[in-house]
Amino acid sequence: MYKEYKENKPIDLSPYDHPDVYPGPRPISSFIYYEGKAHRIIEKMGVSIEDLKVEYSDSDNMLGSFHERSDHTLSIGDFLHEQELPPIEERVPLVAYGSNVCLAQLRYKFSLNRKLNDFVLCLRGSMLDSDIIYGSFLAPYGSLPAVIAPVKDAITEIWLTFVEPAQLEHMNRTEGGYVLREHHGKKFITATGEQFETIYAYYYPHAFEFDQQWYRFKDIRGNSSITAKWQAEILDLINGEFGFKGTREEFLHQLRWNIPFYRELQNWLKQFDAQFDHPDWEEPKVIETVGDLRRTFLSTKSPESEQLLSIYK
């Protein structure tokens, strides 16, 4: 029986290690990633991001305080000040929905530019009328990446990260054909109840469509009418339709290491491409930081808040 990664994907693996891993395992709640480790944010409704507490651990494990609980807590604002890092006001609220909250993937991406500090704040949230589905193209490591697509009444988990402008430029160079878009609606909320006037996300309007349907990621929390599948299942579907003569391991090996084969499969996938337009995401005129944006809190008992946060119950 061949090895597949579905439930319980190893925390130290990224999609660069194995395509089945995409979008990659992520911590069970909001966190900061810094100097190669994650530290748990204590989520509390109605508390501004700067005032949220972080459990900071000296553990050598990549999971940080998720692996070894720590009594050492301080606010995010104080943490940024102590580490001489830019405050929240100088950061861009960027949505992460694919592999950019996978710790091993973050470690890899920041290894590409050692001049950048690797601090990333990842706050859980949810979004209405969007879902995270499989794109119709291949990443360099052989996975079908995630795209954010319009799905009426769907609620999906996303993560709001707060990156420095220099980090954003670095991310732009690692996101391939994606373009940056902005969202102005009230269809997003953080797990702590906060909303922002504008948030940004990487956008690529090409869905993988098979048997007249799209597919969402089984390891991304949400409520949706879209069928959910693991990355391993999607790759098996593609392998079967393509008719590769060999084992699954041989198929993945060719996909990852044989450039002509990769290009042939990339071109073959075009027949399953469904282009869409997401009306909630628009081309930005200017990229604004948190300090330039209006911020509000939704009441924990409001219908909007209860609907958006229902996926966490």
Side-chain angles (χ1 to χ4, degrees), residues 28 124 131 155-158 216-223 311-313:
I28 59 174
R124 292 194 303 173
D131 206 352
I155 301 175
T156 186
E157 178 176 71
I158 55 90
R216 72 183 313 275
F217 288 81
K218 205 162 189 173
D219 36 4
I220 295 179
R221 191 190 303 253
N223 294 324
I311 60 173
Y312 293 112
K313 295 179 181 176

Side-chain angles (χ1 to χ4, degrees), residues 55-116:
E55 290 181 345
Y56 191 75
S57 171
D58 293 326
S59 169
D60 291 330
N61 191 288
M62 184 166 56
L63 277 171
S65 58
F66 290 96
H67 174 74
E68 184 177 309
R69 293 292 293 271
S70 172
D71 293 330
H72 180 45
T73 64
L74 70 169
S75 71
I76 290 174
D78 288 342
F79 178 88
L80 291 170
H81 179 74
E82 283 189 9
Q83 300 297 323
E84 299 183 346
L85 295 168
I88 292 294
E89 289 80 6
E90 297 176 12
R91 296 174 176 273
V92 177
L94 179 67
V95 170
Y97 57 85
S99 63
N100 285 338
V101 284
C102 169
L103 301 183
Q105 190 85 328
L106 285 170
R107 180 175 59 186
Y108 172 78
K109 285 198 172 185
F110 280 106
S111 74
L112 301 177
N113 189 343
R114 300 289 185 181
K115 294 179 181 179
L116 287 176

Side-chain angles (χ1 to χ4, degrees), residues 180-200:
L180 208 60
R181 289 287 180 95
E182 64 182 12
H183 183 285
H184 295 291
K186 295 293 186 180
K187 297 181 180 181
F188 164 80
I189 190 174
T190 69
T192 55
E194 195 164 8
Q195 290 185 321
F196 290 79
E197 176 185 8
T198 303
I199 54 177
Y200 302 91

